[in-house]
Amino acid sequence: MAKTQTLPLQQETDIVLIRQQVRKAAESIRLGIISQTKIVTAASEIARNALIYGGGGECVLEETQRNGKPAVRLLIKDNGPGIADIERAMVDGYTSGNGLGLGLSGSRRLVDEFSIDSAAGRGTAIELWKWR
Amino acid sequence: MADKIPILKMGRFLLLSIQVDMHDQLALDLQEDLTHQIVRHKAKGVLIDISALEIVDSFIGRMLSHIANVSRILDAKVIVVGMQPAVAITLVELGLSLEGIATALNTEKGMRRLESMVAEDESVGELESGENADTSASAGD
């Protein structure tokens, strides 16, 4: 049974709330502690990117199934400038700001499935999956 | 949500335990507050307990590195203790190595390590200056 909620992402404290809700969802589908920590960390990275570089947006959090396995799905969207060169943005250490450049590339390693939909001037939507 | 993380002074050391899920501004405030306290108390070492932290993302990781670097310049040693195993595994996979940050499994081991780091530093200082280190000044109030 899918359970969906939409969380705002307009200020720093929203990142904390998103982390807490993702943790709850991960616990409720009974992910192991390491998987929980990974999806919460990835959510934190991507949410912060959306806030800092995308000017905020929202996070859709879903408890669902994937290939018959209990899963958490996150869709983090912003209406920012978008990413012109996705391939470059996915490289470890590449940053357009003053971060470490690990947000996108690092988060991809933490989840089971990662997809990114963005283009210059069109905002960014990032989908993250973690299943049991 | 707490809006300040308490920093305790114990002899020449400062101790702090991060018990809340920090939002970014709180982390930045802590960084600044700690820097002031190191100078104010002439602290020789800082122990940071993160056993209650359920995640360390790149922002918190950067904060810890920043604290370690600033402290080093201010002649104080930093040790981070109590990281949960799942947090350590996630950090490495994320690509953060926390280079230059000393760590210990728990507070007790961390404190011992911090003491020996500071003692080692002082014995080198004695050799260099050819006189006894003035420990009474730094152990004050």
Side-chain angles (χ1 to χ4, degrees):
Chain A
M1 205 179 359
K3 187 180 153 195
T4 307
Q5 53 179 325
T6 302
L7 304 162
L9 179 51
Q10 298 297 336
Q11 51 190 358
E12 268 180 19
T13 45
D14 291 338
I15 302 176
V16 177
L17 192 73
I18 288 170
R19 285 203 293 254
Q20 289 166 351
Q21 293 303 316
V22 172
R23 171 76 65 177
K24 271 188 203 159
E27 276 171 359
S28 117
I29 66 155
R30 296 198 290 117
L31 279 182
I33 183 71
I34 293 170
S35 292
Q36 283 181 29
T37 307
K38 285 181 179 176
I39 185 72
V40 174
T41 306
S44 185
E45 296 291 336
I46 300 300
R48 184 176 295 103
N49 276 354
L51 185 63
I52 293 175
Y53 303 113
E58 61 176 30
C59 170
V60 180
L61 169 61
E62 201 178 349
E63 287 169 37
T64 178
Q65 297 245 327
R66 181 64 187 260
N67 300 326
K69 294 172 184 161
V72 171
R73 172 183 176 263
L74 271 147
L75 183 64
I76 298 176
K77 294 182 279 194
D78 68 56
N79 301 309
I83 302 169
D85 187 345
I86 293 177
E87 225 166 278
R88 190 154 163 242
M90 291 301 302
V91 173
D92 262 358
Y94 174 77
T95 175
S96 60
N98 57 3
L100 296 172
L102 291 172
L104 286 181
S105 52
S107 300
R108 180 162 65 173
R109 286 191 290 269
L110 296 179
V111 296
D112 292 323
E113 196 177 295
F114 181 102
S115 62
I116 178 164
D117 180 17
S118 183
R122 201 161 55 73
T124 302
I126 291 180
E127 190 180 11
L128 306 171
W129 283 87
K130 194 88 186 163
W131 52 75
R132 202 163 78 202
Chain B
M1 197 178 298
D3 45 16
K4 197 172 180 201
I5 292 167
I7 299 171
L8 310 175
K9 177 179 174 296
M10 196 176 97
R12 301 180 295 164
F13 301 125
L14 298 177
L15 313 177
L16 63 105
S17 180
I18 302 171
Q19 303 273 353
V20 291
D21 193 351
M22 287 191 292
H23 56 88
D24 295 359
Q25 189 56 46
L26 186 59
L28 294 173
D29 291 347
L30 172 64
Q31 207 168 282
E32 198 180 321
D33 190 22
L34 183 60
T35 308
H36 287 300
Q37 302 267 10
I38 289 170
V39 174
R40 189 166 145 233
H41 297 297
K42 300 185 178 67
K44 300 303 284 180
V46 179
L47 183 139
I48 303 174
D49 167 43
I50 60 164
S51 57
L53 276 191
E54 291 184 330
I55 68 151
V56 172
D57 62 8
S58 64
F59 192 87
I60 305 291
R62 193 147 49 114
M63 177 202 77
L64 292 173
S65 293
H66 187 93
I67 286 176
N69 281 330
V70 172
S71 304
R72 185 173 45 79
I73 293 166
L74 294 173
D75 195 26
K77 311 286 179 195
V78 172
I79 194 153
V80 172
V81 307
M83 185 183 292
Q84 293 178 14
V87 173
I89 290 166
T90 302
L91 259 183
V92 170
E93 222 151 303
L94 184 63
L96 274 183
S97 55
L98 296 190
E99 253 169 80
I101 301 179
T103 56
L105 278 183
N106 57 40
T107 307
E108 216 170 351
K109 286 184 174 158
M111 207 61 212
R112 251 183 275 141
R113 174 92 188 280
L114 198 56
E115 272 164 356
S116 73
M117 277 156 71
V118 170
E120 196 177 307
D121 209 42
E122 281 172 343
S123 66
V124 171
E126 273 175 46
L127 283 176
E128 278 172 355
S129 62
E131 57 189 37
N132 291 331
D134 186 7
T135 48
S136 61
S138 52
D141 86 296

